[in-house]
Amino acid sequence: MGTDISGYIECERDYRVDFGATGSFWHPAMDLDHLYDARDHRAFGCLFGVGDASFEPLASERGLPSDVSQRVAWLIEEIGGRSPSWISWAEVERVDWDETAPAVDPHIHEYRRRTPEGDWCFHASGGYDGRFAQVSGLDGHEARYPGNHWPEGTEWADDDRLFRVERLTRRQAVPEANWSPVWTVMRTLAARHGAEHVRLVVWFS
């Protein structure tokens, strides 16, 4: 059974939402559902410590902020969720996305060329790949988890594809193709309100 992520991008303003003593200065800016529609356990683990444990998580299960916006507090109460956490744009900006995982990835990494004469570019890493099994001649557990059986750096080339046993980077664990819309909205809000005044609040189901 898979894990789904929910959340809101919030920004801190200079007035309370309800103008009352119990209101929060943090305002809900964008529902994560409008920006992110994938289910990626590696990204969830790398960012929030939920799921894959390839990396030390950046913001592991911090709980809801004490000053969370009323909208998010209401959603959690009404809909429910587990392992809530949050991360500010200032923290995201400081991430070393080229950091490599402590251990070799058990899954094969596939590279492709953008042009026939170009350099190999990372394409994907995941579960069983029939093309890799055919190229490598491996089957069974070795084909599904070659990183558990072959030395780091082992490669299999097949014309326009290259398969390699190696370690993940944070950039590969949190693919730009999925997360770019989220980072773009946070970056845009931070340009106006400041990096410490923009955060992503999440929970899981």
Side-chain angles (χ1 to χ4, degrees):
M1 188 173 182
T3 298
D4 292 308
I5 189 172
S6 301
Y8 252 92
I9 296 173
E10 298 182 324
C11 64
E12 188 177 25
R13 305 295 297 276
D14 57 359
Y15 62 91
R16 297 183 188 274
V17 176
D18 64 355
F19 300 97
T22 61
S24 173
F25 287 103
W26 285 88
H27 295 229
M30 179 69 72
D31 191 329
L32 183 63
D33 186 55
H34 297 314
L35 304 170
Y36 179 86
D37 62 358
R39 177 187 282 173
D40 191 335
H41 296 171
R42 282 180 167 170
F44 300 164
C46 179
L47 293 171
F48 303 109
V50 175
D52 185 88
S54 297
F55 288 91
E56 183 72 24
L58 301 175
S60 179
E61 301 189 47
R62 293 174 168 176
L64 290 178
S66 60
D67 53 359
V68 68
S69 67
Q70 292 182 348
R71 171 66 177 170
V72 174
W74 178 84
L75 282 171
I76 285 284
E77 182 177 349
E78 290 294 312
I79 301 173
R82 62 180 176 85
S83 305
S85 194
W86 60 273
I87 189 169
S88 71
W89 178 245
E91 291 174 296
V92 175
E93 282 190 310
R94 293 194 293 266
V95 175
D96 176 9
W97 294 108
D98 294 319
E99 177 190 352
T100 55
V104 174
D105 187 0
H107 299 290
I108 197 66
H109 290 199
E110 179 184 345
Y111 287 77
R112 296 183 183 182
R113 297 186 196 273
R114 290 199 177 99
T115 63
E117 299 80 20
D119 295 331
W120 291 109
C121 299
F122 180 80
H123 176 70
S125 168
Y128 179 79
D129 186 299
R131 179 77 175 268
F132 167 69
Q134 182 180 11
V135 170
S136 65
L138 304 178
D139 57 18
H141 199 270
E142 282 194 328
R144 290 186 177 276
Y145 305 104
N148 291 338
H149 303 277
W150 292 81
E152 183 176 5
T154 303
E155 295 181 345
W156 293 265
D158 180 36
D159 295 330
D160 61 337
R161 298 188 183 186
L162 176 71
F163 299 95
R164 182 182 296 155
V165 174
E166 62 183 3
R167 300 169 193 244
L168 275 172
T169 66
R170 284 198 187 267
R171 192 184 312 279
Q172 293 165 346
V174 187
E176 187 74 9
N178 292 337
W179 287 88
S180 178
V182 180
W183 305 148
T184 297
V185 170
M186 294 183 73
R187 184 186 300 111
T188 302
L189 289 170
R192 180 173 183 181
H193 302 290
E196 294 286 357
H197 302 283
V198 176
R199 67 190 178 197
L200 173 62
V201 181
V202 301
W203 58 97
F204 297 86
S205 59

